[in-house]
Amino acid sequence: MERIFGRPIVTQEEMRARIRELGKQITTDYTGKDFVLVGVLKGAYAFYADLARAIRIPMRVDFLMVMSDGARARKSGKVKMVTELTEDIKGKDVLLVEDIVDSGLTAQHLVKTLARKKPRSIKVCTLLSKPDGRIVDLVIDYVGFKIPNKYVVGYGLDYQQKYRNLPYLAVLDMEGEQE
Ligand code: IMP
Ligand code: MG
């Protein structure tokens, strides 16, 4: 069944402009560093691809695939890491790229886990942040957009593994009703 989405909550134009700004800032902040950009799959794939190309310094790319499906996993933040990094991040400056930070549990768990590998620094960049959902005190260094506490899909984000390929970000109509 096809779902009908309302107006984009973030348009493709807004997304492009904001990612260009983030890329510039990250370029400035990481110039001269041994930089590794770590994307959290699957959700961050679209953002990661655009962000990486907006960053104008040499860097390594790497990915983690995590599964946070299931309410229990989400509540504890103990997401299952399905794949490991391939780069050795010891002594390097790592930027973790997330699609969305809601409670903050997932990002906090990943930062703690990667910190054990002794990077020189580890920071977090997220396309979206839902500040109203936050239950842990997490420093997010780069935020694309702050959004209200609504379930969004598209641009990498899913609802039951679908809608990731929607080229813009839309609020999911959970009731199945049209707006
Ligand atoms: P957190 O651990 O509560 O910060 O949530 C992290 C994960 O929940 C994200 O990586 C997403 O997979 C998922 N999530 C939270 N809000 C949304 C949403 O609005 N749309 C799609 N996925 C979401
Ligand atoms: Mg995710």
Side-chain angles (χ1 to χ4, degrees):
M1 201 178 84
E2 290 290 314
R3 271 175 196 265
I4 309 294
F5 296 98
R7 273 161 51 85
I9 189 166
V10 178
T11 66
Q12 287 174 273
E13 287 69 31
E14 287 169 332
M15 197 84 87
R16 255 197 292 277
R18 183 70 187 116
I19 292 172
R20 213 176 296 135
E21 286 175 3
L22 286 172
K24 268 191 192 151
Q25 200 188 331
I26 292 166
T27 299
T28 304
D29 295 350
Y30 285 91
T31 294
K33 300 202 166 147
D34 200 349
F35 183 41
V36 190
L37 193 66
V38 175
V40 182
L41 299 175
K42 302 175 189 168
Y45 82 91
F47 176 46
Y48 185 101
D50 288 343
L51 181 68
R53 287 175 292 177
I55 299 172
R56 300 298 163 85
I57 48 172
M59 65 173 182
R60 294 162 208 267
V61 304
D62 210 345
F63 301 93
L64 285 174
M65 187 178 277
V66 304
M67 303 252 283
S68 60
D69 292 310
R72 210 183 304 139
R74 195 148 306 157
K75 264 189 203 124
S76 66
K78 287 205 169 59
V79 290
K80 196 168 145 212
M81 261 195 221
V82 185
T83 62
E84 283 281 332
L85 293 180
T86 61
E87 296 291 324
D88 180 8
I89 59 169
K90 191 173 178 192
K92 302 197 170 77
D93 293 288
V94 174
L95 183 58
L96 195 68
V97 179
E98 270 278 16
D99 52 353
I100 186 163
V101 177
D102 183 9
S103 71
L105 285 165
T106 307
Q108 189 188 56
H109 175 70
L110 293 177
V111 166
K112 277 189 188 159
T113 305
L114 293 187
R116 286 193 216 115
K117 296 178 187 284
K118 304 265 185 284
R120 196 174 85 92
S121 71
I122 177 153
K123 290 188 176 183
V124 178
C125 174
T126 187
L127 175 64
L128 306 166
S129 171
K130 289 181 183 172
D132 295 342
R134 204 77 83 249
I135 62 171
V136 295
D137 206 10
L138 174 79
V139 179
I140 309 178
D141 306 273
Y142 306 93
V143 176
F145 298 91
K146 285 185 185 164
I147 61 166
N149 218 349
K150 292 189 171 154
Y151 201 87
V152 292
V153 294
Y155 201 70
L157 288 99
D158 73 306
Y159 172 64
Q160 296 182 349
Q161 298 302 329
K162 283 184 285 187
Y163 313 114
R164 293 191 194 274
N165 60 323
L166 200 67
Y168 57 87
L169 202 74
V171 173
L172 182 67
D173 174 9
M174 297 297 260
E175 308 305 320
E177 292 162 4
Q178 295 183 20
E179 285 190 357

